[in-house]
Amino acid sequence: ETIPYEELIKKGQQLDRQNPSLYTKLEQDARNDSLAAIIYTSGSTGIPIGAEHTQHSLVRHLFDKPIDLNPEKTRYLNLLPLAHIFAYSMNIAIFAWGGSVY
């Protein structure tokens, strides 16, 4: 099922009103080895393969911050598909560091 972004936000707000401690509980339950995403290859060279990524494998690099970003000016143009781990990782990093992704 596909829903508009605004509806997703409303559902999240409703869930937060119904169970205000849920986010904190989910955050506390997450471990470094918890599954965070499965990124599939395109299958263009064979059978598609899903690579499992943990919380640690996707967010560890956020603590290194190799570049200094200005949230008011930083813009990142993503040309790679989100099925590509570099694009996926960079989107997470740029958002976390305060930049914008286009």
Side-chain angles (χ1 to χ4, degrees), residues 61-88:
H61 62 285
L62 297 179
F63 300 100
D64 297 329
K65 197 170 181 187
I67 54 178
D68 190 27
L69 299 179
N70 177 338
E72 299 297 318
K73 296 181 180 180
T74 299
R75 306 291 183 263
Y76 167 66
L77 178 60
N78 182 7
L79 299 175
L80 294 170
L82 291 180
H84 192 288
I85 186 60
F86 183 76
Y88 199 95

Side-chain angles (χ1 to χ4, degrees), residues 20-37:
S21 62
L22 178 61
Y23 180 83
T24 302
K25 181 184 178 334
L26 292 172
E27 186 177 36
Q28 290 170 347
D29 289 349
R31 299 183 325 269
N32 279 342
D33 63 346
S34 296
L35 181 64

Side-chain angles (χ1 to χ4, degrees), residues 1 3 6-16:
E1 174 186 0
I3 62 172
E6 292 79 18
E7 188 176 333
L8 176 66
I9 295 297
K10 287 178 186 174
K11 286 183 179 218
Q13 291 168 338
Q14 180 182 15
L15 184 60
D16 189 48

